[in-house]
Amino acid sequence: MKIEIRKTGASPYSMEATNESGQTVQLDGSPDIGGVDAGMRPMELLATSLGGCSAIDVINILRKKREEPSDILISIEAKRQQGVVPATFEAIHVHFTFFGNVSEEAAEKALQLSFEKYCSVTKILEPTCAVTHSFSIEH
């Protein structure tokens, strides 16, 4: 895996990250340090990575069970440590909302397998951060 990050000039902290396939993500610092909100902040990307990683696991697991929701919404709430440097995450909660015909048992099992066994980002965060999850189903 290779990623390149280049300054873009919108602010002193504005950057664009590009992967080997050419997809890009915009990054920036907070206005508190001189950023202009021209992209996601690095810690937001980390929380986003947790949601994306677990979502891929959950979708794969549900597909194997022949349960495919019509849509999924993932909401992430992350809390960082206060008054310390570095200000790492102390807690992240990931909530999945499944739309369509998904059984409660299949959703619960898919989330359990993702967060306890398969999600690499969860395993990276677990030693220093409480990672929790929940779900709801909208029929």
Side-chain angles (χ1 to χ4, degrees), residues 108-127:
E108 189 170 334
K109 185 65 174 175
L111 287 167
Q112 177 190 10
L113 284 170
S114 175
F115 285 95
E116 293 178 11
K117 185 174 183 180
Y118 295 118
C119 180
S120 303
V121 180
T122 299
K123 296 304 172 193
I124 290 168
L125 291 168
E126 275 181 341

Side-chain angles (χ1 to χ4, degrees), residues 40 44 46-55 58 71-79 91-99 111 115 130-136 138:
M40 292 185 85
E44 291 172 332
L46 182 55
T48 301
S49 295
L50 172 62
C53 183
S54 60
V58 167
D71 200 0
I72 299 174
L73 172 65
I74 302 158
S75 302
I76 302 164
E77 290 189 31
K79 182 174 172 57
I92 301 176
H93 183 78
V94 183
H95 181 82
F96 279 71
T97 303
F98 297 100
F99 296 87
L111 287 167
F115 285 95
V131 177
T132 57
H133 63 274
S134 60
F135 73 93
S136 58
E138 303 279 332

